[in-house]
Amino acid sequence: MDNPWWHRSVVYQIYPRSFADANGDGMGDLRGIIQRLDHLAGLGVDVIWLSPICRSPQDDNGYDISDYQDIDPAFGSLADFDELLAGVHERGMRLIMDLVVNHSSDEHAWFAESRSGKDSPKRDWYWWRPARPGMEPGTPGAEPNNWGSVFGGSAWEYDPATGEYYLHIFSRKQPDLNWENPEVREAVYAMMNWWLDRGVDGFRMDVIDHISKDTSLPDGVVRPGSLYAEGGPHYMNGPRNHEFLHEMHERVFAGRATLLTVAEMPGVTIEEAARYTDPARREVDMVFGFEHVWVDRGPDPWVLYPLRLTKLKGILGRWQAGLADVGWNSLYWNNHDQPRVVSRYGDDSPEFRVRSAKMLGAVLHLHRGTPYIYQGEEIGMTNAPFASIADFRDIEALGHYAQAVEHEGHSSEDVLTVLRARGRDNARTPMQWDDSHQAGFTTGTPWLAVNPNHKEINAAAAVEDPDSVYHFYRRLIALRHDDPVVVYGDFTMLLPDDERLYAFTRRHGDTELLVVGNFSGERARADIPGAEAWSSAELVLTNAPARTGLDLEPWQVVIYRRRA
Ligand code: NOJ
């Protein structure tokens, strides 16, 4: 079988709410995206992943869908969507949708019907349970089990109308669908087929390793100092997850032209990822793992850990090795749930922002797998200067703040320090198009404040400047398109114990690449085995002015190529 097109592709994620606002209401929309398609075509990306645009009360910015087959009026209409899709295809790109089917909105007609009574035909479409035996329903501690919600508080919401609770791993407005029920699965597959028939090219599947739960819903372990248990072990990568995804493949993907399916899986291990992405098993094409973005997290979410490069290399190196023979990696630093990488693993000071953003891009894009660029990453956008909790909009930030400060006794300043560094709103500040008022994002008042640094950091300036992060990313994408070693080369990690340098080779046929990135603000020398062999190699790309061999400037990256 031919290699699928997505092996050679680069994906660009759009968070529509924050991308471009055409109608001046302060929220991005589909017409705004249509107007900016040439920015993406110019960058050279192959695929656009749209975060959710379906009808939604927007409790979790669209990850709470109340109608899977309509567009939220805040984003536009189905006619706008068709025009957007045509515009993407005309430019030779593809478009994948966000598929949010672990849960729906509580305002979805399915849930309204399920909630209407214990004998509703859709009662079993969600997870309804009575109070804990011997407890008065609706009183503290009477929840069916002790799981906490990802956004703070209990994972159960009491519904006085029927005297039972429903499960919501995320907000109370995101009730979990019961995938054990075949009618639920058939309804989801029908909806997916409807989108594919409309012309979309695949799906990014939201928390799709949560769909098979341990149906006994047992209590979990409560971490000291926490009010609720971590239910993850009982609802992530559960007993029927592979079966459900295989069934989805049979019902939806089989027999169609090659699509792209990406499974977001917070709880996935490498071994499981290899199974999920083994083409012979016909489940999904690639998974989004989380290990490498949790490298600076400990058991206590309110403690910040600095990046340890050896740990990061250990994780990414293991993923490269683990999926070398079977399966495929997705490669990302950023998305709408992660802080900006240049502020996190790089240096966002005026002196090193551009250089470190390029270094991070090069290291990521030269791994084996499909790279993802999150809007604004290609111009080196940074974290935002949030002054107080009033500046945040994210349900997760607000929920954690309330739980930590009001119920768990943490100081407001400590919690804010963590939210400033890790909060999801860092990624969600509006796209910085130019240096004008509101960064060219909107003519109105943006739903989340624009980062004041848009005066210097913006797309217009980046496109003008041949030395910008934007043009560097453009070259990285072109390199992937032009040189099979980037797509197919074997990966070998070098210098695993070095805390400053990230070094590896890629080899395909007789072509070998060497990539060395300096993750520090100091000069560093790469003492790699066989260094002499590289002294006359072609310098394919670097982010520093001069050729420096293997002596790297602060935050420098070098990519060398030679015939082996
Ligand atoms: C993962 C999404 O990326 C995140 O933004 C969302 O809050 C949760 N899933 C719940 O849908």
Side-chain angles (χ1 to χ4, degrees):
M1 198 182 95
D2 286 349
N3 288 317
W5 52 263
W6 42 261
H7 276 178
R8 301 180 299 277
S9 297
V10 176
V11 183
Y12 186 97
Q13 183 193 353
I14 292 182
Y15 195 63
R17 203 183 168 85
S18 303
F19 191 64
D21 173 21
N23 68 359
D25 66 356
M27 202 163 131
D29 45 43
L30 298 185
R31 301 220 67 81
I33 302 175
I34 292 170
Q35 290 166 9
R36 296 290 184 178
L37 282 179
D38 287 334
H39 172 80
L40 306 179
L43 187 60
V45 297
D46 307 278
V47 183
I48 296 173
W49 149 27
L50 280 188
S51 274
I53 52 169
C54 290
R55 198 176 273 270
S56 158
Q58 302 289 330
D59 188 53
D60 184 19
N61 292 359
Y63 283 90
D64 49 314
I65 293 179
S66 55
D67 185 342
Y68 289 102
Q69 290 175 221
D70 201 2
I71 305 294
D72 195 278
F75 293 128
S77 63
L78 277 169
D80 294 327
F81 178 80
D82 290 339
E83 192 180 322
L84 168 62
L85 186 60
V88 169
H89 286 162
E90 268 161 32
R91 288 167 178 80
M93 298 184 287
R94 292 179 163 94
L95 186 142
I96 65 171
M97 300 287 283
D98 217 309
L99 179 80
V100 190
V101 289
N102 170 67
H103 45 267
S104 71
S105 162
D106 67 335
E107 296 183 32
H108 195 292
W110 296 342
F111 188 73
E113 200 176 327
S114 179
R115 181 178 224 166
S116 66
K118 284 189 187 169
D119 53 3
S120 154
K122 289 208 168 48
R123 186 64 167 180
D124 189 42
W125 280 42
Y126 294 84
W127 295 87
W128 290 97
R129 289 291 183 276
R132 204 176 266 277
M135 303 279 296
E136 179 64 27
T139 59
E143 294 86 11
N145 73 20
N146 64 358
W147 298 354
S149 133
V150 172
F151 295 154
S154 166
W156 294 93
E157 180 72 2
Y158 179 57
D159 187 40
T162 54
E164 287 190 328
Y165 294 77
Y166 64 85
L167 175 67
H168 60 88
I169 293 172
F170 296 91
S171 96
R172 61 166 60 90
K173 290 187 66 62
Q174 294 168 296
D176 282 59
L177 280 158
N178 177 12
W179 276 69
E180 298 294 321
N181 184 331
E183 290 175 16
V184 169
R185 306 202 299 273
E186 289 306 329
V188 169
Y189 305 152
M191 173 272 283
M192 294 173 75
N193 277 310
W194 183 85
W195 280 107
L196 291 173
D197 292 343
R198 217 174 178 94
V200 308
D201 302 292
F203 297 96
R204 173 270 187 188
M205 304 173 181
D206 190 68
V207 289
I208 206 74
D209 65 346
H210 292 25
I211 58 176
S212 162
K213 299 163 176 51
D214 174 342
T215 53
S216 67
L217 307 178
D219 276 338
V221 178
V222 182
R223 189 172 48 78
S226 176
L227 283 177
Y228 298 100
E230 170 52 75
H234 307 293
Y235 62 68
M236 291 205 266
N237 194 29
R240 301 184 70 188
N241 227 110
H242 286 282
E243 176 196 332
F244 291 159
L245 289 177
H246 178 67
E247 182 184 84
M248 178 191 285
H249 193 287
E250 298 282 287
R251 291 286 214 290
V252 184
F253 310 135
R256 291 187 181 266
T258 309
L259 302 164
L260 169 56
T261 57
V262 192
E264 188 207 26
M265 296 194 158
V268 77
T269 59
I270 298 171
E271 294 69 33
E272 281 300 331
R275 298 178 70 208
Y276 282 117
T277 63
D278 176 352
R281 296 176 57 92
R282 297 197 305 278
E283 296 179 16
V284 294
D285 297 328
M286 57 185 106
V287 306
F288 254 55
F290 278 64
E291 256 193 281
H292 72 295
V293 289
W294 285 344
V295 64
D296 52 0
R297 240 173 63 153
D300 184 340
W302 303 112
V303 178
L304 290 178
Y305 295 84
L307 172 66
R308 276 194 41 222
L309 189 66
T310 47
K311 212 171 147 192
L312 181 68
K313 290 189 289 188
I315 294 168
L316 288 173
R318 270 188 284 110
W319 278 82
Q320 290 287 300
L323 300 188
D325 299 327
V326 173
W328 191 252
N329 269 292
S330 61
L331 308 169
Y332 74 95
W333 293 134
N334 274 118
N335 59 45
H336 62 291
D337 295 329
Q338 301 297 329
R340 293 282 178 182
V341 71
V342 68
S343 303
R344 185 185 199 178
Y345 297 162
D347 178 345
D348 63 7
S349 69
E351 189 180 4
F352 289 127
R353 180 186 66 86
V354 168
R355 201 191 280 178
S356 64
K358 291 176 181 173
M359 184 280 291
L360 287 161
V363 166
L364 188 79
H365 282 238
L366 271 295
H367 278 69
R368 189 166 189 267
T370 298
Y372 287 69
I373 300 172
Y374 176 68
Q375 65 184 46
E377 181 180 338
E378 80 281 19
I379 57 168
M381 277 177 62
T382 68
N383 280 354
F386 297 109
S388 75
I389 191 68
D391 292 344
F392 289 87
R393 297 287 174 274
D394 174 20
I395 183 168
E396 180 179 66
L398 302 177
H400 279 229
Y401 182 89
Q403 182 169 318
V405 176
E406 287 158 29
H407 303 295
E408 294 176 355
H410 291 271
S411 84
S412 144
E413 237 351 274
D414 284 355
V415 177
L416 275 175
T417 302
V418 175
L419 289 179
R420 284 190 192 105
R422 300 277 186 272
R424 307 194 297 181
D425 278 340
N426 282 302
R428 300 175 180 187
T429 60
M431 177 71 187
Q432 296 167 202
W433 291 106
D434 56 43
D435 63 1
S436 70
H437 187 57
Q438 309 299 11
F441 164 70
T442 180
T443 53
T445 307
W447 70 275
L448 176 67
V450 165
N451 194 321
N453 66 17
H454 71 273
K455 294 278 170 215
E456 298 79 45
I457 305 173
N458 62 68
V463 171
E464 278 292 290
D465 173 5
D467 287 332
S468 67
V469 179
Y470 172 86
H471 286 291
F472 193 86
Y473 265 69
R474 219 172 40 71
R475 285 181 207 116
L476 286 174
I477 296 166
L479 191 60
R480 172 166 295 265
H481 291 156
D482 295 345
D483 194 339
V485 70
V486 178
V487 180
Y488 295 111
D490 293 341
F491 179 100
T492 306
M493 187 70 86
L494 308 174
L495 309 178
D497 301 324
D498 193 308
E499 278 303 347
R500 290 182 302 178
L501 295 176
Y502 198 124
F504 55 91
T505 57
R506 302 287 310 282
R507 179 156 182 174
H508 183 64
D510 63 355
T511 305
E512 194 170 19
L513 290 182
L514 169 67
V515 182
V516 189
N518 184 354
F519 272 68
S520 86
E522 288 139 37
R523 290 211 166 82
R525 180 177 174 73
D527 284 321
I528 56 163
E532 331 66 62
W534 293 98
S535 57
S536 57
E538 173 198 359
L539 179 59
V540 180
L541 205 54
T542 183
N543 57 351
R547 180 172 179 129
T548 51
L550 292 173
D551 288 306
L552 272 73
E553 296 287 322
W555 300 106
Q556 186 179 4
V557 65
V558 289
I559 304 172
Y560 290 109
R561 177 167 38 208
R562 65 173 183 141
R563 296 258 164 256

